[in-house]
Amino acid sequence: MADGGARVELLGPVRLLDGSRAVPVGGPGVKGLLALLALRVGKVVPLEEIIDALWGHDPPATARTIVHGNVSQLRRLLREMSDPVAEISTRPPGYQLSVAPDRIDAHRARALLDQAALESPENASKLLAEALALWQGPTLSGVPDSVRAPELDELRRAIRYARVNADLDLGRYDELIVELSPIVGADPLAERTAGQLMRALYHAGRRGEALELYRTVSRATLGSLGVEPGADLRVLHERVLNDDLAAHESAVPEQAVAPSQLPPALPTLAGREAEVAWLDGLAERGDSTVIVSGTAGVGKSALVIWWAHRAARLFPDGVLYAALQGFDPHQPPLEPGDLLSQFLLGLGVPADEVPEHLHERVALYRSLIAGRRMLVLLDDARSAEQVRPLLPPGARSMTVVTSRSRLEALAVSHSAKLRVLGTLAPEDAVSVIEELAGPADFDLNHALARLCGYLPLALRIAGAKLAASPQWTLKDLVGELGNERTRLAGLDVTGADDGVRAAFDVSFRGLPDALARTLLLLAAVPARHTGPHLTAAIAEISVEQARRDLRTLAAHNLIAEISRDAFAPHDLVRLYLRDLAETELDPAERAAVLDRAIRYHQAASDTARRKMLRIVDPLDLTGLVPAEALPPLETFAQAQDWFAAEWPNLLAVLDAAHADGRYADVWRLARVAHTYRVVCPLYEEWIRLVDLGLAAAEAADEPLGQCWMLISRCAIALTFELVEGSIADAERAVGLATRLDGRSLIVAKIHLGSVLTLLGRYSEAIERLLEAVAETERTGDLELRGQALNNCAEAEKRAGRPAEAITHQLASLEIDRQLGDDSYAVVSLNNLAELHLGIGDLEAAERYAREAVSLAVSRQFELQEGILRVTLARILRGQERLDEAREQYRLAVARYERMNPRQVEDLRKEAADLESV
C-alpha cells in the first residue's frame, strides 16, 4: 500500500488518514458519512439510505443540506491530501467513493481472508493474523448509533476462526489453549470456538480437559437453551471420547461439505453461446453478482441452470440453489428468512440451530461461506430486497440471479453485472422445435418458429404439441397460430399453468395498479411501439411520468426499449395485452383511447409538416394537443425523424379509425401526413395513405376532404410521372374547389396545369398556370405564386421554350429563397440546371446542379438527391468527364433503388450507355 494519500479506518474509531497522519474530519455525522461510503467503496450509496442511516426514522428537515455540506467537506479534505488518490462523486441517486479498496482497512481484512483460503496453513496464519491486527477496538466507533455494520463483527469472527484452524493445522496447541480458554470461559455457548479449544486440548495430550470442556458447554446449552450442543460438537465429543481424532485432521467442521442443490438441466441448450461465454468470463474474473433478466418464457432459468451444471467445477465448495417464487401464480414470493433457512440447512446447520431472527441468519450464513468458493443460484427473484440478504460476502463466491425484472438497484448497490435475455435466433428456435418433434418441413418449421416469436417457452409448447398429439400436423399448428386471435390459445397447455398466456399474466398482475392501468391503455392503442409523448397523451399523464412508467415497464421486461425513447412489447406479449384490453376496458374506454391516439397523431403530424414544406391547404390541427405535450418538432430534421419513426403507428391508427367509421378524422390525418411523403416519397406507402384518405372523405361526404385528397393523389402522379387517371383526378379537384375557398381553387388549377404538362398538352398547361400566377399576384399569395411559376417553367421547358422557362424558374427560386424553403429550392435549382444543360451552358448547369445536390444531401432529400445526381451526371457527360459521370450515376441508382424503384431500370440503362462512349 502507498504511504501517502487517503486511507480509511473502520475497524475501531472511524478515521481518515493521509498516509499515517490522521486528518480531522469533524463530528459523528461526517464520520458516519465517511463510514457509509467506505463500506460500499466503488458503489453508489443513495442519499435516502445515507439519511436513514445517520438519523433513523426521524431526520431533521435540513438532512439533505447537512449531507451535501458534509460531502463538500470530505471532498475538500481528499483534494488537499499529499497524494489525492480518492474522490467522492455525485452519482444519482447518491454518492460514490472512488479509492483502491486496500486503502480501507475493512476491505483489506476481507481480501486477506480470501487470500488466506488459497495459501498453506503457515502463510494463511500470517495473513489472518495481519488481518486481525487491523482491528483497533469496537468497529465504527465515533459515528452515530444508527450507523451499523454487523458484517464487520462477523468478518472478525470468520477471520479469527480461520486463523485458529490454520494454527491447529500447524500444531500450535499450547498457544491456542492460552488464547481460547478465556474466550470460551466468558461465553460457553460459542460452540465453534469451544470445538477448536477441544481439539487443541486433545492434541496437546489433555484429553480429559477436552471432555470436561464438552460437559461444561453441554450444561450451558441445556441450562440456557434447553437443548444439547450442536451436531458438530457432539460428533467431536464422540471422537475425543473414542480417542480417534487424527493429529492433523482438518479443523473445518464436517458440516462444511460442498452442497450440490442444482435442479436438472435441459439435455441441450439451443443458441445462447454468447450468454454462456459471458457467464464463463464473469466466473473466471471473479464477478460476485450477476443478474439475468428477460420477459416471461425467454429461458432465463434454463440458461443459468444449464450453465451452472457446466460451471460447477469452478466452485469446489459447492452450489446453492433456491427458487424464490417471485412470479409464481399460486404462491407468494419466498421471504429472505425462509430462503436463508434453506441455505443454512444445505450448509449443514442442524434445523434446531437455525437462528430465529433474520439478522442472525444473515450473520451465520455469511460466516459459513466467508472465504469459500461457492456458486449461489437465485432463480425467479421478485425484487432486489428479496435478494440482498442472500448475497455472499467476499469476492470468491458468485451469485447468479434470474428475474423478470432487471433488478437495477443491485447494479447500483452491489455492482451487479446485468444481461437482458432476448429471444432466440431463427435457426436456434427451429432447433428447439425439432428437439421435441423431430425434423420436418423447413419452411413450415421456420414459419412456426416465427409465429412463436422465437420465444423458448412458446417453442417448447409447440414442439411438445406436435410430439404428443399425432392428430396435430405441423401445417395445422401453423394455421392455428397464423390467426392472431387464436395464437395464444394455441400456445396454452391443457391442465397446467405453464402456457404462454399464464406466464404473461403473472407478470402483468404483479404490477402496481397505476402502472398496470397505463400498460392496459397502451394495449388498446393500435400502434406497434410507443414513446413518452404518445403514452402521455393516451394515459393522460405528464410526459415525465410517462417516460418513468415506460422505463419501469421495460425494467419489468414487459416491453423493451427498441431505440431511444421508443418501446414495444414482444409480439406475443402484444397479443396478450391486446386481448386483455378488450376484456378489461369497456367499449367507451377503448373508444376514448382511440380518440386520444387520433388527436395526438393529427396534432403532431400537422406541427411536423409545417417544418418541412409550405402548407397550402386550410387544415390546422396543431391545437388539438397542447404544444408542451408534443415531442420537439422545431426543425426540419426533427420533423422528418419524427415522421420516419412514427409512420407505422400513424398507418395503424388510420386503419383503426377507418374501421371504426371515423372518416372525417381519417382524411384529415391522411392529408397532414401526406406532406412527409412529398419530401420522402415511397410509392406504395404514399398511395396507400392517400387512397385511404380519399375513401374516407367520400364516406364522410365532405367536399373539402375529397378535393384535397385528390390534389394529394395528383402529387403522387406528378412525382412518379403516372399518367393514368391523373387528368380525371385534377379536373374533379378543380370542380370541387369551385364550391370551396379561392386558395383551394388556385392549388387545384396549379395541379391541373401540371398534369396537363405531364400529358404533353403544353399550351393548355401554360394557360392554366399563368392564370394561377395572375391570381396569386392579385391576392398577394407568395407561396402559391412560387409554386405556379415553378410548374409553369416546367411546362415551358417541355414545350421547347427554354428562355421563358428560365425566366419563370429564376422568379420561382427567388421566392423559394425569400421564404427560406429548401425543399422547393432544390427543385428550382435542378430545373435551372436542366434548362442550362439544354441550351448548352454547361458551366452554369453544373453550378446549379452542385448547389442543389449539396442542399439535398444536407436536408436528406433522398429522392430529390437521386434526381439531381442524374442531372449532374448528364452535365458531366456533356463535359466528357466520364469517370465523374459514372460515379454520379452509381450514387443516383442507389437512391432510386430505395425511393423510386419503378424508374431504376431506365436509369441503369442510361448509365450503361455511358460504357459505350
Side-chain angles (χ1 to χ4, degrees), residues 624-666:
L624 292 176
V625 172
E628 61 271 15
L630 295 176
L633 297 169
E634 300 300 321
T635 65
F636 180 97
Q638 288 176 334
Q640 187 178 34
D641 289 347
W642 180 84
F643 266 123
E646 200 65 19
W647 191 256
N649 286 345
L650 197 148
L651 293 180
V653 168
L654 274 169
D655 288 338
H658 192 272
D660 201 45
R662 303 186 186 212
Y663 303 122
D665 283 323
V666 170

Side-chain angles (χ1 to χ4, degrees), residues 564-640:
R564 183 174 177 80
D565 266 353
F567 299 82
H570 180 274
D571 205 39
L572 294 179
V573 176
R574 177 183 63 82
L575 296 180
Y576 162 78
L577 293 171
R578 185 197 64 188
D579 292 351
L580 201 65
E582 290 178 355
T583 57
E584 300 203 4
L585 296 177
D586 61 42
E589 288 177 305
R590 296 198 300 274
V593 167
L594 179 58
D595 187 59
R596 293 195 286 270
I598 293 169
R599 290 204 311 271
Y600 170 81
H601 283 94
Q602 287 176 333
S605 296
D606 198 8
T607 302
R609 72 173 181 151
R610 294 172 188 276
K611 301 298 179 181
M612 304 183 78
L613 279 183
R614 303 171 195 166
I615 302 305
V616 295
D617 63 50
L619 296 182
D620 186 352
L621 310 179
T622 57
L624 292 176
V625 172
E628 61 271 15
L630 295 176
L633 297 169
E634 300 300 321
T635 65
F636 180 97
Q638 288 176 334
Q640 187 178 34

